[in-house]
């Protein structure tokens, strides 16, 4: 490591520490601990020993240290890196920024912490941190021999812009005092609503919450993109992971601000983590600008397959296929019957339509992101190679963006049109399907579809929550039915395409344990499924209609699984797969019918 690199790192670290100490000043109410500037007290440079004056003076001492370091960095950059503008420009700009920050800090003291001057003070702080972090990062990461990853760099820059706006609004709220900071006394809702009545002190806090949600989504997006783009950059993966972890901690601490009614420790930590998140996101931008890329551009991706640009209709069809509409229909089969059972009748038509629409968008989001993450293996497998991404009808980056937009729309639509619990459950299904199943289990474990099946079982919970605002025990039994149904349903399909899964390196049960063990597991799960469906009879206070259908369908499912276990005909697995779809539809139709027929359902 060169002398300049060490100096740049020290400058960046000292600057971050300076503003972390600034958070301590703000959280402890020590902003006027020193009553004059540049001295701490009238006629004295140093504080007299009171705790608030000591805290404020330590902030000024750090500021002096940063001044010296930035001055040294500027001089060293002029001598050693005058031809590298990515290093020279931020190094030279750092010292004037520190001076400007010091002058505005003096004005803050002289104006008795005027909110607008406090906010201006923080704006310059963000600019200074971004400047020195850029300087340090550019000195450590060499320029790429190939073209830089412009798409990811733009994403990282957009994330930094939104994160900066979040921090600025948060600073303004802190500067205005507790009336603004506690405009809402609940979290994550705002006076029990997702969108409260706005005006006065409530508007800045609502904007702060919206920006926090947007920042979370963007940082999450960068995390997924960093882990899946080609070539994979270790630095980008590390920084995006750290940024995501810091932001999650920041959000939890933000909630603690509300829960503790702005206790000093929570305010201090909130500011400190805000500075760390900002520094990490800026470093992510800098590294992205210097990371090589071999990913196909949006235009190249759509042209490569047939040599011409697709029509609007073809593009629309490709995006529609990206959502896997057949799977969505299968998932929604469980939603309406759960709603009818919760209602013990037919809910309002608007509630049914809103829940189905929001659920459809949520499922489409999960499927689109899944297509982005699995595009490499989809290209290998015969069953999936005609999907939009492996067929190059949509660029991967656009497919991921589409999935994120759908997820955001589904959450806010369900929150407003249905309720927050239903929206949160749908969002949890997206997260589970993407992170637990697709990114973790699918490529590492034979239990991938067993555990991952929980995502497909969530629509039953969403339907129940849409009607009642809670999740009752019968809803969990419906969840368990779909959860136990998923492995035999999917393993039957996997037996047919085991060669594809083997070629793609996916450890599906037929590939790892063989066909015989898969048949045995299908039979065992079919027995557990039969038993689980019978549990709903006493728990859900079901009547004879449901019980009769569950017994007949369950017996048929077990019979077909037993036939598959005993035989060796490859076509038998696909027969079971197709029957399992009919089975699920008829079973949940029986749930709905039982809820509608007064003479069928037993009294609760």
């Amino acid at each position: 490591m060169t002398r300049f690199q060490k100096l740049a790192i020290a400058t960046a670290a000292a600057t971050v520490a300076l503003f972390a100490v600034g958070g301590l000043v703000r959280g402890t109410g020590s902003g006027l601990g020193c009553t004059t500037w540049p001295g701490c007290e009238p006629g004295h440079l140093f504080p007299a020993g009171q705790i608030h004056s000591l805290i404020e003076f330590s902030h000024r001492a750090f500021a002096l240290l940063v001044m010296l370091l930035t001055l040294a960095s500027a001089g060293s950059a002029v001598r050693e890196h005058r031809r590298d503008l990515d290093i020279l420009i931020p190094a030279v700009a750092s010292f004037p920024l520190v001076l400007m920050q010091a002058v505005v800090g003096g004005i803050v003291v002289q104006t008795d912490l005027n909110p607008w001057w406090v906010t201006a003070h923080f704006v310059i702080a963000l600019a200074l941190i971004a400047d020195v972090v850029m300087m340090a990062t550019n000195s450590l990461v060499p320029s790429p021999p190939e073209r830089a990853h412009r798409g990811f760099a733009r994403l990282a820059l957009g994330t930094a812009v939104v994160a900066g706006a979040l921090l600025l609004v948060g600073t303004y709220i802190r500067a205005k005092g507790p009336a603004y900071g506690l405009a809402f006394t609940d979290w994550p809702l705002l006076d029990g609503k997702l969108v409260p009545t706005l005006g006065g002190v409530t508007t800045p806090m609502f904007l702060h919450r919206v920006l926090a949600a947007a920042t979370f989504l963007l940082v999450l997006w960068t995390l997924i993109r960093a882990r899946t783009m080609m070539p994979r950059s270790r630095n980008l993966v590390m920084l995006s992971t750290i940024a995501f972890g810091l932001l999650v901690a920041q959000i939890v601490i933000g909630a603690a601000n509300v829960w503790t009614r702005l206790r000093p420790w929570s305010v201090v930590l909130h500011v400190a983590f805000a500075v760390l998140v900002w520094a990490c996101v800026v470093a992510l931008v800098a590294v992205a600008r210097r990371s090589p890329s071999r990913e196909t551009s949006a235009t190249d991706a759509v042209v490569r397959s047939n040599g011409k640009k697709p029509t609007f209709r073809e593009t629309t069809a490709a995006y529609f296929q990206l959502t896997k509409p057949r799977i969505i229909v299968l998932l929604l089969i469980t939603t309406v019957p759960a709603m009818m059972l919760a209602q013990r009748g037919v809910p309002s038509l608007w509630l049914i339509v809103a829940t189905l629409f929001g659920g459809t968008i949520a499922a489409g989001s999960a499927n689109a992101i899944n297509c982005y993450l699995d595009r490499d293996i989809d290209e290998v497998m015969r069953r999936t190679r005609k999907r939009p991404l492996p067929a190059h009808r949509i660029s991967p980056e656009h497919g991921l963006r589409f999935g994120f937009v759908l997820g955001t729309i589904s959450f806010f639509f369900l929150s407003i049109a249905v309720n927050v619990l239903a929206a949160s459950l749908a969002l949890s299904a997206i997260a589970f399907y993407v992170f637990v199943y697709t990114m973790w289990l699918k490529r590492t474990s034979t239990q991938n579809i067993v555990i991952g099946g929980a995502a497909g079982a969530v629509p039953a919970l969403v339907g129940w929550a849409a009607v009642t605002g809670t999740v009752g025990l019968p809803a969990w039994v419906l969840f368990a039915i779909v959860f136990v149904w998923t492995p035999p349903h999917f393993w039957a399909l996997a037996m047919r395409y085991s060669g594809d899964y083997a070629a793609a390196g996916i450890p599906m049960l037929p590939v790892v344990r063989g066909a015989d063990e898969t048949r045995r597991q299908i039979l065992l799960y079919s027995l557990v499924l039969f038993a689980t469906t019978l549990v709903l009879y006493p728990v859900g206070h079901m009547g004879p209609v449901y019980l009769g259908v569950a017994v007949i369908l369950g017996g048929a499912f077990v019979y077909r699984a037993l036939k598959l276990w005993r035989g060796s005909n490859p076509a038998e697995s696909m027969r079971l797969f197709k029957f399992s779809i009919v089975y699920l539809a008829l079973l949940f139709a029986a749930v709905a019918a039982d809820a509608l027929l007064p003479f069928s359902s037993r009294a609760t």
Side-chain angles (χ1 to χ4, degrees), residues 438-476:
T438 305
M439 294 186 69
W440 176 29
L441 293 173
K442 185 171 183 177
R443 306 188 189 215
T444 59
S445 172
T446 57
Q447 297 299 304
N448 47 19
I449 199 61
V450 177
I451 301 173
V458 170
L461 302 180
V462 173
W464 190 281
V467 173
T468 66
T470 61
V471 181
L473 185 56
W476 286 111

Side-chain angles (χ1 to χ4, degrees), residues 203-522:
T203 302
M205 180 53 75
F206 175 71
L207 178 60
H208 186 62
R209 298 272 184 99
V210 171
L211 288 171
T215 303
F216 177 82
L217 290 174
L218 286 169
V219 172
L220 179 60
W221 187 357
T222 61
L223 174 62
I224 296 176
R225 290 276 286 121
R227 289 180 175 273
T228 55
M229 69 182 187
M230 299 299 293
R232 184 170 176 173
S233 167
R234 182 179 179 182
N235 290 332
L236 291 179
V237 171
M238 178 185 66
L239 284 172
S240 61
T241 303
I242 293 173
F244 182 74
L246 289 172
L247 183 60
V248 169
Q250 169 76 343
I251 291 173
V252 173
I253 296 168
N257 274 342
V258 177
W259 296 334
T260 64
R261 303 188 67 83
L262 301 179
R263 293 291 296 272
W265 66 267
S266 64
V267 175
V268 171
L269 287 177
H270 197 53
V271 175
F273 272 86
V275 172
L276 292 174
V277 168
W278 174 245
C280 193
V281 171
V282 170
L284 193 64
V285 175
V287 174
R289 291 179 65 250
R290 290 174 170 251
S291 296
S293 170
R294 291 195 295 269
E295 286 211 334
T296 309
S297 69
T299 303
D300 292 342
V302 297
V303 171
R304 196 166 73 183
S305 59
N306 55 17
K308 64 179 183 179
K309 191 173 182 178
T311 64
F312 176 79
R313 182 178 180 180
E314 291 171 337
T315 302
T316 303
Y319 276 108
F320 179 70
Q321 293 167 14
L322 203 64
T323 65
K324 303 180 185 178
R326 292 182 180 179
I327 296 178
I328 292 177
V329 172
L330 189 61
L331 293 175
L332 295 181
I333 285 174
T334 65
T335 304
V336 176
M339 296 178 71
M340 297 173 70
L341 182 60
Q343 184 73 35
R344 290 294 176 179
V346 182
S348 70
L349 180 61
W350 161 251
L351 183 61
I352 293 176
V353 172
T355 305
L356 289 180
F357 178 77
T360 298
I361 300 301
S365 167
N367 290 332
I369 297 173
N370 169 266
C371 284
Y372 169 81
L373 296 172
D374 282 351
R375 64 192 186 279
D376 57 334
I377 60 176
D378 282 348
E379 197 166 5
V380 175
M381 299 174 63
R382 290 172 299 171
R383 182 173 65 90
T384 58
R385 63 180 51 162
K386 292 184 179 180
R387 286 176 177 173
L389 294 185
H392 307 292
R393 288 182 286 149
I394 298 175
S395 72
E397 186 174 345
H398 287 179
L400 178 62
R401 185 180 298 125
F402 178 64
F404 261 77
V405 170
L406 289 182
T408 303
I409 292 173
S410 71
F411 177 78
F412 285 104
F413 177 82
L414 286 172
S415 297
I416 296 170
V418 183
N419 58 57
V420 175
L421 177 59
S424 300
L425 288 169
L427 184 63
S428 72
I430 297 174
F432 194 90
Y433 187 69
V434 170
F435 292 102
V436 178
Y437 173 66
T438 305
M439 294 186 69
W440 176 29
L441 293 173
K442 185 171 183 177
R443 306 188 189 215
T444 59
S445 172
T446 57
Q447 297 299 304
N448 47 19
I449 199 61
V450 177
I451 301 173
V458 170
L461 302 180
V462 173
W464 190 281
V467 173
T468 66
T470 61
V471 181
L473 185 56
W476 286 111
V477 177
L478 293 173
F479 173 91
I481 290 172
V482 182
F483 179 77
V484 177
W485 166 87
T486 302
H489 161 75
F490 202 89
W491 281 334
L493 178 67
M495 289 184 66
R496 169 67 177 81
Y497 294 99
S498 59
D500 276 0
Y501 285 114
I506 303 301
M508 285 295 176
L509 190 65
V511 175
V512 178
R513 305 287 292 277
D516 291 342
E517 176 62 19
T518 304
R519 294 190 188 99
R520 188 178 76 88
Q521 290 290 336
I522 289 175

Side-chain angles (χ1 to χ4, degrees), residues 84-105:
D84 192 339
L85 297 182
D86 286 345
I87 296 175
L88 180 64
I89 292 176
V92 172
S94 61
F95 184 68
L97 282 173
V98 175
L99 292 180
M100 190 183 305
Q101 173 76 351
V103 171
V104 175

